[in-house]
Amino acid sequence: QVKLVESGGGSVQRGGSLRLSCLASKDVYSSNSMVLAWFRQAPGKEREGVAQIFAGGSSPRYADSVKGRFTISQDRGRNTVYLQMNSLEPEDTAMYYCAAEWSFKITKWSAPHEYRYWGQGTQVTVSS
């Protein structure tokens, strides 16, 4: 059973930085056939894909709104995927979720309905 636990959220001012962590259960990295992604959902808005990375290590993908500011990375030895967020803006305020799925099941990386496994989320608040 895949389990994901996010941490690292908090409150920062505009221009600040945060690093989110997602601790995954060992089966995510044991096969190297899953993808991990970060999504976010602001109040009253749909959940949107932020970044994705293949557990086997292929090139990451980003939403246009975060390119150049956010970086997704992973530490396979720690079964952890990270989201480094720099130059944060109030528009980045949202609940951030970690998600995972078998790579062969994903047709559109940023579509939340394509991911079966989700963490509980961590809140990010950016004030102006």
Side-chain angles (χ1 to χ4, degrees), residues 24-112:
S25 51
K26 292 182 179 180
D27 42 5
V28 171
Y29 283 99
S30 62
S31 67
N32 280 338
S33 297
M34 299 193 82
V35 291
L36 293 133
W38 286 98
F39 286 80
R40 65 186 181 186
Q41 188 167 19
K45 293 188 176 181
E46 294 185 352
R47 191 168 295 189
E48 63 173 349
V50 175
Q52 185 212 53
I53 194 166
F54 179 48
S58 64
S59 298
R61 301 179 183 186
Y62 297 95
D64 288 344
S65 59
V66 305
K67 281 180 181 177
R69 300 190 299 124
F70 291 11
T71 302
I72 189 170
S73 63
Q74 60 191 343
D75 183 337
R76 296 184 188 83
R78 296 180 182 271
N79 296 322
T80 300
V81 62
Y82 302 98
L83 186 68
Q84 177 66 44
M85 305 185 296
N86 299 328
S87 301
L88 283 162
E89 296 288 340
E91 299 76 50
D92 297 315
T93 294
M95 184 72 79
Y96 283 71
Y97 297 91
C98 181
E101 185 52 86
W102 297 101
S103 60
F104 69 89
K105 292 188 176 183
I106 300 294
T107 58
K108 183 178 180 181
W109 77 266
S110 58

